[in-house]
Amino acid sequence: MTGQERHAARSARAFLAPALLLIAVFFFLPVLAALLLSFTDFDIYALGDLNRLRFVGLRNYLDLLQSPLFWTALGNTFYFVVVGGPLSVAVSLGAALLVNAPLTRFPGFFRAAFFLPVVTTLVAVAVVWRYLYHPRYGLLNYGLGLLGIDPIDWLGDPAWAMPAIILMAVWKNFGFNMIIFIAGLQNIPTQLYEAARIDGASGWRQFRYITLPLLGPTFLFVALMTMIGYFQVFAEPYVMTQGGPANRTLSVVLLMYEEGFRWWNMGYASAAAFMLFVLILAGTLLQLKLRRRDPE
């Protein structure tokens, strides 16, 4: 390495050091602290006196695996991911295709309109959706009444509470993925569509053999981000149902919040966090593996 290259390397390290230091202090250290807490019985008594802190090994993890409430929360979270994730990606792609279509007028207006729910505070969204879901005065039940269908207690019926939460979450979040899909669509060369039209390809065949394959990397990114975000679902059930009715909307993160910040079982809550981390990591690796097997 020449002297000039050593000087360039030292300059690079000097510029990167502040950012790396901040990442270490505000990301890696808290994660490491949480991992250590998950092997202890850190609670409100230990918070006041660290001498009460005890190392319990894997007991928190074993307690979680033996807890029916944890399995309920895990099942609800999987329900949210498996149903809400694909639905959110499909709605996002559909909106992106409509907004990006050549015949669409005022595409800028529709992009802004569809993106507005993303930047709207969840509390404001919850107020509106709680009105829509109201069993007596809600707009949804009014529409069902016009069709001769009995009203549904959307947030009070255990069978309908999670679908109601999923519907609200999809509406609030699809605009973010739509913007990513639009960026991916605009990177597809228009010459490919022109050649396909000259060869007589229908709109569906253009979508099947041009749009979908070339959107592969975008699909992977959107699917991973959606899956990770939906595994961490917290705010929607917290503001809409508080995990009820009968724990049917209790998610793993909501359970973690209840244990950690309501009952101060920080060790137990940290163990739940790392169980969720393992699940998210496994889901991410699975999607990456499936993507590598995709022949495109």
Side-chain angles (χ1 to χ4, degrees):
M1 181 180 290
T2 65
Q4 187 177 4
E5 289 174 339
R6 283 196 294 272
H7 177 73
R10 283 196 298 270
S11 300
R13 285 195 292 270
F15 278 109
L16 288 174
L20 294 177
L21 181 63
L22 289 175
I23 292 173
V25 171
F26 292 104
F27 180 75
F28 288 107
L29 282 182
V31 171
L32 179 61
L35 179 61
L36 295 176
L37 281 182
S38 70
F39 298 112
T40 70
D41 64 347
F42 191 91
D43 56 14
I44 194 168
Y45 302 105
L47 189 65
D49 182 4
L50 286 178
N51 291 324
R52 295 178 179 271
L53 181 66
R54 293 176 300 177
F55 178 78
V56 297
L58 296 176
R59 195 184 75 187
N60 288 326
Y61 293 93
L62 296 177
D63 288 346
L64 269 175
L65 294 176
Q66 294 173 357
S67 167
L69 193 59
F70 173 72
W71 288 107
T72 299
L74 189 60
N76 294 335
T77 303
F78 269 111
Y79 182 4
F80 192 83
V81 172
V82 172
V83 176
L87 182 61
S88 180
V89 173
V91 172
S92 304
L93 178 61
L97 290 171
L98 288 174
V99 171
N100 198 57
L103 297 179
T104 301
R105 302 186 65 182
F106 313 114
F109 168 77
F110 286 108
R111 286 178 200 167
F114 290 157
F115 193 74
L116 271 179
V118 178
V119 296
T120 305
T121 62
L122 189 60
V123 175
V125 170
V127 170
V128 174
W129 278 84
R130 285 182 73 87
Y131 167 71
L132 294 176
Y133 285 144
H134 196 282
R136 292 185 61 188
Y137 310 110
L139 194 61
L140 288 178
N141 279 343
Y142 177 75
L144 293 177
L146 295 178
L147 299 175
I149 301 174
D150 293 334
I152 297 173
D153 187 1
W154 294 94
L155 299 177
D157 187 333
W160 285 102
M162 184 56 85
I165 296 292
I166 289 174
L167 185 60
M168 187 194 78
V170 169
W171 175 83
K172 186 178 187 318
N173 299 314
F174 84 93
F176 180 77
N177 289 338
M178 178 198 70
I179 295 297
I180 298 173
F181 274 129
I182 289 175
L185 289 170
Q186 292 181 346
N187 281 328
I188 300 176
T190 56
Q191 294 89 342
L192 294 177
Y193 293 106
E194 292 171 1
R197 281 194 291 270
I198 292 173
D199 289 341
S202 63
W204 165 249
R205 292 179 71 84
Q206 293 177 41
F207 176 74
R208 172 69 180 83
Y209 294 106
I210 297 176
T211 305
L212 282 182
L214 294 182
L215 274 181
T218 308
F219 255 114
L220 178 63
F221 176 78
V222 168
L224 285 177
M225 291 299 103
T226 303
M227 182 199 69
I228 293 171
Y230 277 28
F231 260 121
Q232 300 176 53
V233 59
F234 166 73
E236 287 85 353
Y238 180 74
V239 298
M240 294 290 286
T241 59
Q242 294 282 313
N247 293 322
R248 295 301 294 270
T249 59
L250 179 70
S251 68
V252 174
V253 178
L254 185 53
L255 172 66
M256 187 174 66
Y257 169 82
E258 295 281 343
E259 291 291 338
F261 296 102
R262 174 170 290 184
W263 310 117
W264 290 100
N265 294 323
M266 302 298 288
Y268 190 81
S270 299
F274 279 93
M275 294 280 279
L276 185 63
F277 166 75
V278 171
L279 290 174
I280 292 175
L281 180 62
T284 302
L285 294 177
L286 177 62
Q287 289 206 41
L288 291 174
K289 188 173 182 179
L290 292 176
R291 172 61 183 167
R292 291 194 191 99
R293 289 184 176 180
D294 189 355
E296 299 188 13

